[in-house]
């Protein structure tokens, strides 16, 4: 046993080490710059050798720093004209918290002005440029060459005169010279870290717009995925409350989806720009505090008895204390504990990973996958905490890591549900077999059999109820199987009778006729299976269409010529009636469609008319035009002089396997009952409608309505 544990443990640690090495390598590759980084020196950034239109640059390095002053560009020009020297420079991006000034270190609150002069290359002077400003925790104003381009919140000299706001900005401007003068006022009295803490990017307007849109699309995808997965698991818990794993996992994922709205491109503030700044931070910090506790409870549900009692009690106390701190204190206080909250979350994950290592060594199902994605998630979460404290170059990685984590958990939970369903199905079959055997027991044991059968029947009914609920999701598959069974039973039984007759040599002289019947039934079954398969593909959207503009008059004439002999050979008259449509506006009646599919749908209707029309009857195809809400529609009608359809059954004839048997017609009319259903699906796929009209006495008319397009098209 010890040898097995040693070998298993060694293998698990190899997986962990490989995952960590891969993540570290990826971090090094992502954090390494693609080109040499240009930094400003003493408030001057030389970009004359850079091409901003294709290669945006981050405005990093030394910026001019004016503490406790809110200077406008005019104020800075006046000060420069008077010969004032600037002695203070600060690295951007960074916080002024701890910056040494006149023998003291600055606190996180206050206000200041930042300045930077950028020298542009000759080709960038004539380009439309843009500045991309990520969200910072303060209020600020930004001027470029004396023009106010961005203002987030209200800048002030005290807490009462300023209003913080979280927002990402993308501003555009056309440089008028080879020099850009950037002036930025920043004030902070609500957060413990003030200053320009995020990168400011300068580049071509097209490049930065594309980058911003891609980031926004990525954030929306991650957020939507997390919310959908979370709500799905909460719904699973509502349907089956005995297992609490979907509850904790759903809460965890929904909270992460809500938190992702406040990170990255700040999707939430784009929807609600006036949402309170303080409330945004409280929501984000509360989610951080609760995530460690919720994931611990989820882990306890998946792998029971791996979380100790003291750890559960300790995490409740610590999580509750931090939540109370966030709720009752302002942001200036609880934001100081971001690192502590991060350490708490990381310690939760490390503790759980130790339990996962033990579960993986014991080869518990799902433990190894849980462990590997936890390593990935831990690295991304730690990186984000380092980034928001200014110690990492890559930010906002935790949503992606957490999305990978949630996907893996979905696989784990799905396997649990699948295993439960399989076990219940197996138990149900075993109980059914036992019940059948009990019925066949000796009559002398009737009393005993009755008592045992009653007990087993009760248990069987309970399991049957659970089994039926689990099979509800397979309703589509069973429906298709029912259709096949329904339509194949009679021809198969007939074929079996013919085969037995041939084997038993009942009437050898009729063997050839029996073989003919077997062949005809085989062809019918094969056609039925093909139609069922094709209809299933239509209903699930797996059939592709080659759409092209087609003139309806030309199309109907070709269709009529192709099938005229087929209809007339059946002893019926076949008429094409285009009427006044051709004389009025023939070129405007154009429909975008797949000619092969529409031809198949119309032939199904013509074939249906042929089946129910006696010899000497009439099948008529007509074309009309209708205009509804300024939209033109082509109406194709197929009329027959057959037996008619009762009005109360006109809606049902398009359902699968529906066939109307007119009294007196006998069983001579054969069909799978799928032709009209296939016709309906094809017409619906073209944005059209199909309906039937009949008085139930003489003849029926089917109307196919297809929307026309405005432009002319030729087949």
């Amino acid at each position: 046993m010890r040898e097995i544990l040693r070998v298993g443990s060694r293998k698990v640690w190899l997986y962990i080490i490989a995952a960590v090495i891969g993540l570290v390598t990826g971090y090094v590759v992502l954090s390494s710059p693609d080109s040499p980084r240009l930094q400003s020196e003493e408030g001057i950034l030389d970009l004359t050798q850079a091409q901003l239109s294709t290669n945006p640059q981050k405005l990093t390095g030394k910026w001019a720093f004016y503490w406790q002053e809110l200077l406008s560009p005019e104020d800075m020009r006046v000060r420069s004209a008077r010969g004032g020297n600037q002695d203070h420079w600060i690295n951007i991006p960074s916080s002024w918290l701890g910056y040494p000034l006149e023998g003291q270190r600055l606190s996180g609150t206050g206000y200041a002005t930042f300045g930077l002069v950028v020298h542009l290359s000759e080709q960038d002077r004539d380009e439309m440029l843009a500045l991309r400003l990520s969200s910072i925790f303060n209020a600020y104003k930004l001027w470029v060459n004396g023009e106010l381009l961005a203002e987030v919140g209200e800048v002030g000299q005290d807490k009462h005169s300023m209003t913080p706001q979280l927002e990402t900005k993308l501003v555009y401007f056309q440089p008028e010279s080879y020099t850009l003068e950037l002036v930025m006022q920043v004030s902070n009295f609500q957060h413990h870290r003030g200053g320009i803490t995020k990168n400011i990017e300068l580049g071509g307007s097209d490049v930065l717009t594309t980058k911003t849109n891609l980031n926004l699309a990525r954030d929306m995808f991650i957020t939507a995925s997390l919310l959908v997965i979370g709500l799905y698991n909460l719904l699973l818990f509502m349907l089956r409350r005995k297992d609490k794993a979907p509850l904790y996992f759903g809460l965890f994922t929904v909270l992460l989806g809500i938190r992702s709205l406040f990170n990255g491109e700040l999707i939430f503030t784009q929807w609600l720009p006036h949402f309170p700044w303080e409330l945004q931070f409280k929501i984000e910090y509360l989610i951080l505090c609760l995530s460690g506790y919720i994931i611990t409870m989820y882990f306890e549900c998946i792998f029971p008895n791996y979380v100790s009692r003291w750890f559960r009690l300790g995490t409740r106390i610590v999580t509750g204390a931090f939540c109370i701190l966030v709720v009752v204190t302002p942001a200036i206080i609880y934001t100081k504990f971001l690192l502590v909250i991060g350490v708490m979350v990381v310690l939760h994950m490390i503790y759980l990973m130790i339990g996962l290592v033990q579960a993986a060594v014991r080869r518990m199902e799902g433990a190894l996958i849980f462990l590997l994605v936890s390593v990935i998630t831990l690295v991304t979460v730690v990186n984000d905490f380092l980034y928001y404290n200014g110690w990492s170059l890559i930010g906002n990685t935790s949503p992606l890591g957490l999305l990978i984590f949630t996907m893996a958990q979905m696989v784990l939970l799905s396997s649990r549900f699948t295993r439960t369903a399989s076990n219940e199905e197996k138990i149900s079959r075993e109980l059914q077999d036992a019940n059948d055997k009990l019925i066949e027991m000796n009559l002398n044991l009737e009393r005993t059999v009755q008592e045992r059968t009653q007990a087993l029947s009760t248990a069987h009914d309970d399991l049957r109820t659970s089994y039926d609920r689990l099979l509800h999701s397979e309703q589509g598959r069973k429906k298709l199987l029912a259709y096949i069974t329904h339509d194949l039973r009679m021809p198969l039984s007939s074929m079996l009778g013919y085969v037995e007759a041939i084997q038993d040599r009942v009437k050898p002289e009729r063997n050839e006729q029996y073989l003919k019947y077997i062949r005809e039934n085989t062809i019918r079954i094969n056609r039925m299976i093909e139609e069922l398969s094709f209809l299933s593909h239509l209903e699930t959207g797996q059939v592709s269409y080659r759409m092209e503009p087609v003139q309806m008059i030309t199309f109907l004439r070709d269709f009529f010529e192709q099938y005229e002999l087929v209809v007339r050979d059946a002893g019926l008259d076949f008429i094409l009636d285009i009427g006044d449509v051709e004389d009025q506006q023939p070129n405007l009646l154009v429909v975008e469609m797949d000619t092969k599919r529409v031809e198949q749908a119309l032939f199904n209707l013509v074939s249906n008319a042929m089946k129910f029309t006696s010899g000497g009857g009439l099948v008529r195809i007509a074309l009309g035009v209708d205009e509804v809400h300024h939209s033109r529609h082509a109406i194709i009608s197929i009329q027959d002089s057959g037996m008619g359809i009762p009005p109360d059954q006109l809606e049902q004839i398009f359902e699968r396997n529906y066939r109307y048997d007119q009294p007196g017609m006998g069983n001579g009319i054969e069909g799978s009952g799928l032709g009209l259903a296939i016709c309906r699906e094809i017409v619906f796929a073209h944005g059209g409608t199909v309906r039937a009209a009949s008085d139930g006495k003489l003849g029926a008319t089917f109307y196919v309505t297809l929307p026309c397009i405005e432009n002319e098209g030729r087949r």
Side-chain angles (χ1 to χ4, degrees):
M1 182 66 182
R2 293 180 180 179
E3 182 65 24
I4 294 176
L5 289 177
R6 283 199 297 270
V7 174
S9 179
R10 190 183 305 116
K11 185 176 180 180
V12 170
W13 283 111
L14 285 175
Y15 278 118
I16 297 174
I17 293 172
V20 173
I21 293 175
L23 290 171
V24 172
T25 304
Y27 176 81
V28 172
V29 172
L30 291 175
S31 61
S32 61
D34 298 331
S35 58
R37 177 175 296 179
L38 302 175
Q39 293 191 341
S40 58
E41 295 292 340
E42 296 186 353
I44 299 176
L45 179 58
D46 185 3
L47 297 181
T48 57
Q49 302 302 318
Q51 189 172 358
L52 296 175
S53 59
T54 58
N55 186 23
Q57 296 290 326
K58 295 178 180 178
L59 305 182
T60 59
K62 300 287 187 180
W63 287 43
F65 182 57
Y66 304 88
W67 178 244
Q68 298 295 79
E69 294 185 82
L70 296 178
L71 303 177
S72 65
E74 183 64 26
D75 296 334
M76 296 185 68
R77 281 194 291 269
V78 171
R79 176 173 294 192
S80 177
R82 292 177 180 176
N85 295 325
Q86 170 61 28
D87 299 328
H88 301 295
W89 318 94
I90 189 170
N91 277 317
I92 298 299
S94 68
S95 171
W96 65 52
L97 176 64
Y99 179 80
L101 183 66
E102 298 178 358
Q104 296 182 350
R105 292 193 175 274
L106 300 182
S107 65
T109 58
Y111 55 93
T113 302
F114 301 83
L116 179 67
V117 177
V118 181
H119 296 303
L120 301 176
S121 63
E122 183 176 354
Q123 62 267 26
D124 289 328
R125 182 182 182 277
D126 300 324
E127 296 287 339
M128 177 64 72
L129 301 181
L131 280 169
R132 185 175 184 273
L133 298 94
S134 301
S135 63
I136 62 176
F137 307 134
N138 322 130
Y140 66 87
K141 288 183 178 180
L142 174 66
W143 287 267
V144 178
N145 289 341
E147 181 183 358
L148 180 62
L149 292 185
E151 183 175 4
V152 175
E154 295 182 9
V155 178
Q157 298 182 355
D158 54 43
K159 182 177 181 180
H160 303 289
S161 62
M162 75 149 292
T163 303
Q165 187 175 349
L166 288 174
E167 186 177 355
T168 57
K169 281 285 187 179
L170 184 64
V171 295
Y172 305 92
F173 62 93
Q174 178 74 48
E176 299 177 354
S177 64
Y178 296 110
T179 302
L180 296 180
E181 295 182 358
L182 276 66
V183 177
M184 191 169 183
Q185 296 178 357
V186 180
S187 63
N188 170 56
F189 292 94
Q190 280 80 11
H191 199 277
H192 87 287
R193 296 176 67 233
I196 306 175
T197 56
K198 302 289 182 63
N199 283 313
I200 299 176
E201 225 173 335
L202 174 63
S205 58
D206 293 339
V207 176
L208 288 184
T209 300
T210 301
K211 181 178 180 180
T212 301
N213 291 336
L214 289 175
N215 290 341
L216 183 61
R218 177 202 63 196
D219 291 350
M220 292 182 67
F221 170 75
I222 293 176
T223 300
S225 300
L226 292 173
L227 291 176
V228 169
I229 292 173
L231 293 175
Y232 171 76
N233 281 275
L234 290 178
L235 180 60
L236 286 181
F237 172 73
M238 295 297 295
L239 297 175
R240 188 174 183 269
R241 300 191 179 187
K242 183 178 180 180
D243 186 8
K244 292 187 178 181
L247 169 65
Y248 293 117
F249 181 65
L251 288 175
F252 178 74
T253 311
V254 168
L255 291 177
L256 292 182
I258 295 174
R259 181 179 178 272
S260 65
L261 294 173
F262 298 97
N263 291 319
E265 295 299 319
L266 297 176
I267 301 174
F268 191 85
T269 55
Q270 295 186 30
W271 295 341
L272 299 174
H274 301 294
F275 194 79
W277 180 92
E278 180 77 35
L279 187 55
Q280 293 183 51
F281 269 87
K282 286 186 181 295
I283 293 174
E284 182 178 358
Y285 274 70
L286 283 173
I287 292 175
L288 282 176
C289 294
L290 291 171
S291 59
Y293 173 74
I294 294 177
I295 200 63
T296 301
M297 300 306 296
Y298 169 69
F299 177 82
E300 174 68 13
C301 294
I302 298 296
F303 303 105
N305 304 322
Y306 276 89
V307 179
S308 63
R309 180 179 180 183
W310 67 265
F311 185 81
R312 285 199 302 269
L313 179 60
T315 191
R316 286 181 186 176
I317 296 174
V318 175
T319 301
F322 275 114
C323 289
I324 293 173
L325 177 68
V326 172
V327 171
V328 303
T329 61
I332 190 67
I333 295 178
Y334 63 76
T335 53
K336 297 179 181 179
F337 294 91
L338 176 61
L339 184 60
V340 180
I341 295 174
V343 171
M344 178 188 70
V345 174
V346 170
L347 288 177
H348 273 90
M349 298 186 69
I350 292 176
Y351 178 84
L352 297 181
M353 287 172 62
I354 295 174
L356 284 171
V357 170
Q358 298 176 358
V361 169
R362 298 178 182 178
R363 299 184 179 181
M364 294 188 65
E365 183 179 1
L368 185 58
I369 296 177
F370 202 145
L371 177 61
L372 294 179
V373 296
S374 297
V375 172
I376 297 174
T377 306
L378 176 62
V379 173
T380 57
V381 170
V382 170
N383 175 75
D384 270 13
F385 279 114
L386 296 177
Y387 174 77
Y388 287 116
N389 285 277
W391 300 331
S392 176
L393 299 176
I394 303 176
N396 203 33
T397 58
S398 60
L400 179 59
L402 292 169
L403 179 61
I404 295 174
F405 178 80
T406 54
M407 291 294 187
Q409 301 312 309
M410 281 291 293
V411 174
L412 180 60
L413 289 176
S414 299
S415 65
R416 283 164 52 91
F417 277 103
T418 303
R419 187 171 61 254
T420 301
S422 299
N423 291 337
E424 292 192 0
E425 290 178 0
K426 181 179 179 181
I427 293 174
S428 180
R429 287 194 299 268
E430 292 176 352
L431 288 175
Q432 182 67 47
D433 294 340
N435 185 52
D436 294 339
K437 292 179 181 179
L438 287 172
I439 295 176
E440 297 175 358
M441 289 182 65
N442 195 289
L443 295 177
N444 295 331
L445 300 175
E446 183 178 355
R447 182 179 301 175
T448 305
V449 170
Q450 184 177 2
E451 294 175 356
R452 294 182 180 179
T453 302
Q454 185 176 1
L456 287 173
S457 179
T458 302
H460 169 70
D461 291 338
D462 294 338
L463 289 173
R464 193 47 141 178
T465 301
S466 301
Y467 174 72
D468 291 337
R469 293 175 181 174
L470 291 172
L471 289 182
H472 182 69
S473 61
E474 297 181 358
Q475 183 178 2
R477 181 180 64 82
K478 288 188 176 292
K479 182 184 293 185
L480 178 60
L481 181 61
Y483 290 144
I484 294 175
T485 304
H486 175 270
D487 284 344
L488 297 186
R489 180 182 292 115
M490 183 175 295
L492 286 176
S493 299
S494 177
M495 291 169 61
L496 180 61
Y498 294 144
V499 171
E500 290 176 349
I502 294 174
Q503 288 179 338
D504 297 339
R505 299 183 178 181
V506 177
K507 292 183 178 182
E509 67 277 7
R510 301 188 66 179
N511 285 353
E512 184 176 353
Q513 183 178 0
Y514 292 157
L515 291 174
K516 179 181 177 182
Y517 290 156
I518 292 173
R519 181 179 179 276
E520 291 175 352
N521 281 333
T522 303
I523 294 174
R524 178 186 175 190
I525 292 172
N526 185 55
R527 184 172 64 252
M528 189 182 306
I529 293 174
E530 290 179 354
E531 291 181 350
L532 278 171
S533 177
F534 181 66
L535 179 58
S536 298
H537 282 79
L538 284 173
E539 293 175 341
T540 56
Q542 300 180 33
V543 176
S544 60
Y545 295 87
R546 300 181 61 182
M547 310 297 283
E548 59 179 352
V550 177
Q551 289 188 1
M552 291 305 300
I553 295 176
T554 304
F555 170 75
L556 281 182
R557 282 177 174 169
D558 292 345
F559 178 83
F560 178 80
E561 293 175 359
Q562 182 177 358
Y563 294 104
E564 181 179 9
L565 292 178
V566 176
V567 179
R568 295 191 183 278
D569 287 345
L572 303 175
D573 289 336
F574 196 30
I575 298 176
L576 174 63
D577 184 8
I578 296 179
D580 299 333
V581 175
E582 185 175 14
D583 298 332
Q584 293 175 354
Q585 292 176 320
N587 293 331
L588 294 181
L589 201 61
V590 179
V591 174
E592 188 172 11
M593 66 181 185
D594 186 328
T595 56
K596 297 297 183 183
R597 298 302 184 194
V598 175
E599 180 180 304
Q600 179 183 2
L602 294 181
F603 180 72
N604 283 352
L605 295 177
V606 171
S607 176
N608 186 73
M610 294 169 59
K611 290 179 184 179
F612 293 94
T613 304
S614 302
L618 172 68
V619 177
R620 176 177 174 270
I621 300 180
L623 177 64
V625 183
D626 189 18
E627 189 166 342
V628 180
H629 301 300
H630 306 289
S631 297
R632 187 182 295 269
H633 291 77
I635 302 177
I636 305 171
S637 62
I638 298 177
Q639 181 182 6
D640 63 68
S641 59
M643 65 181 65
I645 305 172
D648 59 345
Q649 300 185 28
L650 291 176
E651 294 295 330
Q652 304 175 29
I653 61 175
F654 294 99
E655 301 295 331
R656 281 191 179 198
N657 293 337
Y658 178 84
R659 285 177 294 193
Y660 170 65
D661 295 328
Q662 178 77 11
M665 292 296 297
N667 297 326
I669 298 178
E670 296 184 356
S672 63
L674 301 175
L676 294 181
I678 292 175
C679 175
R680 179 183 62 179
E681 295 297 330
I682 293 176
V683 174
F684 283 3
H686 286 74
T689 60
V690 59
R691 64 183 180 88
S694 176
D695 59 1
K697 298 178 180 179
L698 178 63
T701 305
F702 289 82
Y703 297 93
V704 175
T705 303
L706 297 172
C708 298
I709 58 177
E710 296 181 1
N711 297 329
E712 294 187 7
R714 294 191 179 275
R715 187 178 174 187

